[in-house]
């Protein structure tokens, strides 16, 4: 398993940090994993108690270890200090899945398909907000352009989760939100995470 560790309050490290694939991995990467396969992978990794316990946790910022995901996907084991979160974002053209391995995470998401490009500000309707509480062992998959934020609402406990994306993240769009107004603030690309 290839790994990369860091501490940050922003996006995980660059997909460029992955190690060279073996011939078998290259063959597996020739097909695209489904959302269900990404979720199954995240569940299996989240159940690996030894791996979960090996993640270095920092009281100040998120930590992560890069994992080798299925069929050429990008995967991460992420530690969340109490009170931390991602802010509103999407993963552009990537599908994904994540599972809480320890603690509990909350996902706030928008149940609306947003335009993919060409806008800076959108007014959301009142019925688009969704909230999911994801205790250890629970997770979800999502499609392209899924806008969400993930939070560790605990004031005392770290949470740990496993995430997988395909294709490897080409960009992350970050948003600010005030009431029902969603504003595109920044587009990050892998070279921004180095």
């Amino acid at each position: 398993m290839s790994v990369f560790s860091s501490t940050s309050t922003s996006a995980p490290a660059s997909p460029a940090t992955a190690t060279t694939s073996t011939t078998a991995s290259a063959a597996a990467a020739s097909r695209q994993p489904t959302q269900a396969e990404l979720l199954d992978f995240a569940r299996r990794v989240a159940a690996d108690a030894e791996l979960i316990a090996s993640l270095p946790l920092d009281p100040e910022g998120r930590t992560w270890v890069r994992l080798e995901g299925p069929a050429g996907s990008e995967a991460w084991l992420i530690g969340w200090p109490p009170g931390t979160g991602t802010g509103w974002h999407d993963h552009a053209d990537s599908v994904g899945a994540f599972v809480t391995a320890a603690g509990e995470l909350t996902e706030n998401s928008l149940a609306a398909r947003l335009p993919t490009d060409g806008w800076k500000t959108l007014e959301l309707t009142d019925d688009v907000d969704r909230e999911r509480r994801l205790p250890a062992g629970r997770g979800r998959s999502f499609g392209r352009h899924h806008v969400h934020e993930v939070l560790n609402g605990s004031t005392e406990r770290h949470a740990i989760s496993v995430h997988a994306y395909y294709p490897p993240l080409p960009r992350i769009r970050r948003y600010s939100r005030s009431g029902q107004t969603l504003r595109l603030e920044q587009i990050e690309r892998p070279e921004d995470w180095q």
Side-chain angles (χ1 to χ4, degrees), residues 75-96:
W76 301 94
L77 178 62
I78 301 177
W80 306 76
T84 59
T86 61
W88 288 95
H89 68 283
D90 72 18
H91 304 103
D93 295 318
S94 296
V95 298

Side-chain angles (χ1 to χ4, degrees), residues 1-8 10-18 38 41-43 45-46 51-52 55 62-70 73-80 91 94 97-101 105 160-170 172 190 193-194:
M1 178 178 312
S2 61
V3 296
F4 175 83
S5 299
S6 186
T7 301
S8 176
S10 62
S14 165
T17 61
L38 294 174
F41 167 82
R43 282 190 175 124
V45 173
L51 178 64
I52 300 309
L55 179 66
R62 287 188 295 155
T63 55
W64 52 78
V65 174
R66 174 117 188 210
L67 306 173
E68 189 173 322
S73 63
E74 177 175 353
W76 301 94
L77 178 62
I78 301 177
W80 306 76
H91 304 103
S94 296
F98 70 99
V99 172
T100 304
L105 293 173
I160 299 174
S161 57
V162 179
H163 301 247
Y165 309 99
Y166 188 87
L169 297 174
I172 292 177
W193 307 328
Q194 294 183 15

Side-chain angles (χ1 to χ4, degrees), residues 76-140:
W76 301 94
L77 178 62
I78 301 177
W80 306 76
T84 59
T86 61
W88 288 95
H89 68 283
D90 72 18
H91 304 103
D93 295 318
S94 296
V95 298
F98 70 99
V99 172
T100 304
E104 180 177 279
L105 293 173
T106 299
E107 181 201 37
N108 296 315
S109 63
L110 300 179
R113 185 148 180 97
L114 303 181
T116 57
D117 290 304
W119 64 275
K120 286 285 190 185
T121 304
L122 289 176
E123 289 298 317
L124 303 170
T125 61
D126 290 332
D127 60 348
V128 297
D129 289 297
R130 301 294 182 267
E131 179 181 292
R132 279 189 174 89
R133 297 208 177 273
L134 301 165
R138 299 265 326 262
R140 64 142 329 157

